[in-house]
Amino acid sequence: MSQAEVVRGETGPPKAGQGETGQGGTGRAPAAQVSEGGRRSQGVAGFAALFRSELGLTFRRVRTIALLGILAVLPVLIGTVIKIETDGSSGGEGPAFIAQVTQNGLFLVFTALAVALPVFLPMTVGVVAGDSIAGEASTGTLRYLLVAPAGRTRLLAAKFAAGLAFCLAATMTVALAALATGAALFPLGEVTLISGDTIGLGSALLRAALVAAVVAASLAGLVAIGLFVSTLTGSGIAAMATTVGLVITVQILDSFPQLHAIQPFLFTHHWLSFGDLLRQPMYWDGVLENLGLQAIYVAVFGSAAWSRFTSRDITS
């Protein structure tokens, strides 16, 4: 069942003379919807219905399941390689994260997130966000969604919320797979932070959850960028390729020392600031700077996506 069919099943078929809703349309909601229950409650219910539909559509796709499967395999591969390379040698050798993994499997969560964040997580998020609007246009369901009535602003907000939900799901997939792999291959117990302080396993698990939440929030700016790119074209493949290509380009620009003046403003620059949460006490300056920068990108590109989407002619 397509998303348009789901939404039509929840809101009922459009009545005669009812056009597209939203800023670019001329249709009106049925009188019963406006007079009883109030516009606010109807708007909340409509958004909730769209959001549920978006979640179902996103996580039922074979492509999404495959992407999450790849993310789940990544920590297993990292943990297995570390186990093989350190088996029979003295523990604690190698880079800081690797040495910590050999002593405590919980550190595999942080290692896996540090490996996945620069490349794997942004690519999967870029695919989902880039396909959000353009994918509907390429399959011919976008026009029916707006006639449902869904409303352009409400539909765009539901797409963005579903994108954020995927960010959280993708991050938790990496974290949980790493936790299970680390528990199976390495000992668990008190955790020695990179600052040298030791905390209990319960406190360390809370820190791992906090780090995963920060990593997921760090991808919010990318979701807004992908949503904006998706409103510019009717080809889902083109939107996905453009979004992923933009991530790669920004990562390359962030690696040149000559561009240090603009690097703090790149949405990828502070992604690895979650490492400051593995200190005692936790350093929040870099994390808050990262989240603030993501909020700016969400505001700018979210507004651009709304302006483009509510003013364009929907023909497919």
Side-chain angles (χ1 to χ4, degrees), residues 50-105:
L50 272 175
F51 179 60
R52 289 195 302 268
S53 176
E54 281 297 323
L55 286 181
L57 179 68
T58 300
F59 290 99
R60 282 198 307 265
R61 284 175 172 165
V62 177
R63 179 183 62 208
T64 303
I65 297 174
L67 291 174
L68 292 177
I70 293 173
L71 291 177
V73 171
L74 179 64
V76 178
L77 294 177
I78 295 174
T80 302
V81 170
I82 294 175
K83 180 67 175 178
I84 293 175
E85 290 296 323
T86 58
D87 201 24
S89 62
S90 57
E93 296 181 352
F97 272 134
I98 304 301
Q100 292 286 2
V101 170
T102 61
Q103 299 171 24
N104 196 313

Side-chain angles (χ1 to χ4, degrees), residues 38-53:
R39 295 182 179 178
R40 180 175 300 178
S41 60
Q42 182 63 30
V44 172
F47 175 79
L50 272 175
F51 179 60
R52 289 195 302 268
S53 176

